[in-house]
Amino acid sequence: MLLPDLPPEPYRIRSVERIRLLPREERLRLLREAGYNLFRVRARDVFIDLLTDSGTGAMSDRQWAALMAADESYASSESWFRFEAAVREVTGFPEVIPTHQGRAAERLLFETILKKDDVVVSNALFDTTRANVERLGAHGIDLPDPAALAPLDESPLKGGVQLDALEKTLVAQPRTRAIVLTATANSLGGHPVPLANVAAAARIARRAGVPLFIDAARFAQNAGLLARRDPACEGWSPAKIARAIFDLADGCLVSAKKDGLGHIGGFLALRDPALAERVRAGLVATEGFTTYGGLAGRDLDAIAIGLREALDETLLAARLDQVAALHAQLRAAGVAVVSPAGGHAVYVDAGRLLPHVPRARFPGHAVACAAYEEGGVRGCEVGSLMFPEPVPGQLELTRLAIPWRTYTASHLAHVARTLGEIAAGREKLSGYRIVSAPAALRHFRAVLAPA
Ligand code: F0G
């Protein structure tokens, strides 16, 4: 499906936010002044902002209305009970622990279950998740499906964990304390984790006595992609698929800024009340009381509605179609992309697009900077800049993440034209070198310069 063929969006726009495309010389100057780091470019100077889909989506009229009707009581507010009921309904986990965002859920869980030199095994830990493991002196081991490391491999269900490697690793690493399946696999291309992969990982986990958690930031999109692609889920609703996956796990870590459709928020949901009580001790000391966890009542209400809206089949289909259409359009424009399309983003395969730019010169970052220079489009490198100690076969990608319900087909057509121009003039692009960078999570604050 190309962009012009996209079915009409199943919503209309009642409130608009002005955006501007600055002149090219201005963009070049601002990028230089920002140390060639797009996180440092002022958002007002970006035309189409595809840096992330996290907390940047458009809330619905029902969500905005709920903000006004929220209960801001400190303890046991009505907003909390609505939030808890929504999380229980969607995930099936009885123990619900609110946090101010996903990484706080990661920190609280890992501080509770990990000690120095312990191990967490995953299909692919995202950047903050890995950082929350490593800051405790523990180790994260990624075992992605090999198909996910082959951007041209069109396998529809390649987001899972490599099962034989998982079994071997649990034997070789007796200090493994958790398996985390990131669904969808954000650092690899946004591919879905298939139901059978979760089921097999759960069997392996149970045999080894290790808990299995889902990093479920994009649980609805994972379910929506499985509804389209996984024969095991044929005819099932996204809600039923999401629930089937949660039913196989011991808990989930969730950033509610993606498929919770909140501007802020997150939660942990667990099966084991004893583990939940241990986590709550840390929660009260650092995030907030157990019924708000660092969130306002209005945030809890917005998320309670957002979690259900993300599973709305029509809204979810429109989102997946939008991403698939941008993917098709980029491919038609000669841009190397990771296939098949992910749920929330199109990933440019910058390593393949710029074969003359070596890994150490960050081809994914070069494409991201070029997209800003060429069209005021802000994307994000997912490669050696983000992950300095790359897993074997690490891809060099530029992620174009589409916020929920925010941009129209004509915005995305602009993105496709911009990337098409870059592909046409690719020989002109060179890489970047780091001028200065912090030790951990360096991509957020590094200063770079053209190499
Ligand atoms: N897990 C995954 C898979 C994520 O993508 C993110 C955030 C987190 C956990 C952390 O959640 O931001 O609420 O603390 N990803 C964003 C992104 C930032 O751009 O992909 P958070």
Side-chain angles (χ1 to χ4, degrees):
M1 190 186 338
L2 295 181
L3 282 164
D5 304 328
L6 261 183
E9 287 84 357
Y11 42 81
R12 58 182 178 177
I13 297 163
R14 180 140 53 98
S15 175
V16 297
E17 195 179 347
R18 188 78 163 82
I19 53 175
R20 288 181 178 80
L21 179 59
L22 298 174
R24 176 187 289 264
E25 318 75 71
E26 194 97 337
R27 299 199 296 272
L28 295 177
R29 179 179 62 79
L30 291 165
L31 188 59
R32 191 172 59 243
E33 287 173 7
Y36 297 94
N37 185 335
L38 292 156
F39 287 93
R40 293 171 175 270
V41 172
R42 288 178 82 130
R44 68 171 189 198
D45 299 330
V46 174
F47 184 45
I48 309 286
D49 202 347
L50 308 185
L51 185 67
T52 179
D53 58 329
S54 183
T56 53
M59 293 209 295
S60 66
D61 47 357
R62 292 177 57 240
Q63 286 180 291
W64 285 110
L67 298 193
M68 290 306 294
D71 176 357
E72 300 296 350
S73 303
Y74 187 91
S76 299
S77 71
E78 285 309 296
S79 297
W80 156 251
F81 288 109
R82 288 190 283 267
F83 176 87
E84 184 188 44
V87 172
R88 284 180 173 164
E89 175 190 306
V90 167
T91 68
F93 295 119
E95 302 291 336
V96 180
I97 297 169
T99 60
H100 81 276
Q101 58 183 82
R103 65 198 70 182
E106 295 160 9
R107 177 180 63 79
L108 288 164
L109 178 68
F110 295 149
E111 281 176 358
T112 307
I113 65 170
L114 295 182
K115 291 196 175 58
K116 188 172 176 305
D117 298 327
D118 282 346
V119 171
V120 173
V121 184
S122 178
N123 55 337
L125 295 170
F126 199 57
D127 57 356
T128 58
T129 325
R130 174 170 290 281
N132 272 299
V133 171
E134 291 176 352
R135 64 186 280 282
L136 298 168
H139 308 287
I141 299 178
D142 286 352
L143 303 171
D145 181 332
L149 300 176
L152 295 171
D153 185 326
E154 297 278 348
S155 310
L157 300 167
K158 57 187 199 177
V161 63
Q162 201 187 333
L163 294 166
D164 49 350
L166 175 63
E167 267 193 299
K168 287 193 193 114
T169 304
L170 291 185
V171 174
Q173 302 282 353
R175 295 195 59 170
T176 303
R177 298 291 176 246
I179 299 168
V180 174
L181 292 183
T182 310
T184 58
N186 188 17
S187 57
L188 296 173
H191 307 298
V193 182
L195 186 57
N197 190 261
V198 184
R203 273 194 302 275
I204 294 169
R206 213 171 308 121
R207 229 180 290 134
V210 172
L212 171 70
F213 299 102
I214 311 294
D215 178 344
R218 298 181 181 84
F219 71 96
Q221 297 172 67
N222 198 78
L225 289 172
L226 295 193
R228 292 179 172 198
R229 300 180 188 174
D230 190 344
C233 301
E234 209 185 314
W236 292 14
S237 70
K240 179 174 173 181
I241 298 168
R243 185 57 189 271
I245 286 182
F246 289 128
D247 282 349
L248 291 163
D250 296 288
C252 61
L253 301 141
V254 180
S255 166
K257 301 171 73 173
K258 287 82 168 172
D259 288 355
L261 292 170
H263 290 151
I264 194 71
F267 58 88
L268 259 172
L270 302 170
R271 212 175 289 294
D272 176 6
L275 175 61
E277 275 317 301
R278 288 167 62 210
V279 172
R280 284 192 185 104
L283 178 80
V284 178
T286 61
E287 284 279 293
F289 184 62
T290 54
T291 64
Y292 74 87
L295 294 171
R298 57 179 177 269
D299 303 321
L300 296 169
D301 264 314
I303 294 165
I305 294 172
L307 289 170
R308 294 177 175 125
E309 285 185 355
L311 288 168
D312 176 296
E313 294 191 43
T314 310
L315 289 172
L316 183 55
R319 171 164 184 70
L320 300 177
D321 284 347
Q322 212 181 33
V323 174
L326 179 61
H327 180 270
Q329 195 89 346
L330 288 181
R331 201 146 56 169
V335 182
V337 285
V338 174
S339 292
H344 67 297
V346 178
Y347 294 68
V348 176
D349 183 0
R352 187 154 47 95
L353 185 66
L354 306 179
H356 57 287
V357 178
R359 195 186 277 281
R361 291 286 178 248
F362 311 123
H365 188 69
V367 171
C369 288
Y372 181 70
E373 290 176 4
E374 184 64 39
V377 175
R378 177 156 72 168
C380 178
E381 192 258 11
V382 177
S384 295
L385 183 59
M386 180 182 279
F387 297 104
E389 285 160 43
V391 294
Q394 165 95 44
L395 301 172
E396 299 297 334
L397 307 174
T398 313
R399 187 186 70 172
L400 304 170
I402 318 289
W404 274 86
R405 312 187 285 207
T406 302
Y407 291 114
T408 63
S410 50
H411 289 127
L412 298 182
H414 172 85
V415 174
R417 273 194 303 277
T418 298
L419 271 295
E421 288 295 324
I422 292 171
R426 64 174 86 181
E427 311 78 36
K428 292 198 294 268
L429 264 59
S430 53
Y432 286 81
R433 63 183 172 82
I434 292 178
V435 176
S436 66
L441 294 171
R442 64 180 184 178
H443 54 298
F444 289 129
R445 289 168 54 234
V447 173
L448 296 106

